[in-house]
Amino acid sequence: TAATVYLEKPADSSLVTYTISKENGTFQLSGKSGASKLNLFVSYAGFKPYSTQIEPVNKDLGTLVMEVQDNTLGEITVTAERAPACNLSRSNRESTAILISA
């Protein structure tokens, strides 16, 4: 599984470039924008999106730490009704249905 990594201009949020990370998490971006600062975004399933502003220079960003996305529900209520049970017995080659309710 890979992360999606992209750069956009802060002024108008226009996309400069994007890539998909390798399986080990490394990535390389290249492109031209003319901007002195760019917004870097990283998204990966199960994690909160990562964003930071960077200068568009050739440098190693080091390790980017992403936080696990909390997908728990606040509260859930499950309501169910039990269907009536049906017991079939055979006597003298006739079927008799006996309805049992709770």
Side-chain angles (χ1 to χ4, degrees):
T1 311
T4 302
V5 184
Y6 62 98
L7 290 172
E8 64 181 36
K9 293 179 183 179
D12 59 5
S13 299
S14 62
L15 182 67
V16 175
T17 188
Y18 77 97
T19 191
I20 303 297
S21 72
K22 295 180 184 176
E23 282 193 30
N24 65 4
T26 60
F27 63 89
Q28 184 174 348
L29 292 164
S30 61
K32 295 182 180 182
S33 70
S36 61
K37 300 261 185 198
L38 294 172
N39 292 330
L40 170 72
F41 294 94
V42 182
S43 62
Y44 185 76
F47 289 82
K48 292 180 183 178
Y50 175 89
S51 64
T52 189
Q53 195 168 76
I54 63 169
E55 294 178 14
V57 294
N58 189 14
K59 71 174 186 174
D60 184 346
L61 297 175
T63 302
L64 306 178
V65 179
M66 298 180 74
E67 295 180 47
V68 174
Q69 179 74 43
D70 182 11
N71 290 330
T72 58
L73 298 174
E75 182 178 328
I76 185 168
T77 303
V78 177
T79 305
E81 294 182 20
R82 190 175 107 183
C86 184
N87 184 7
L88 297 176
S89 64
R90 292 208 180 261
S91 63
N92 298 333
R93 295 188 177 193
E94 294 180 14
S95 294
T96 305
I98 303 169
L99 194 58
I100 304 168
S101 60

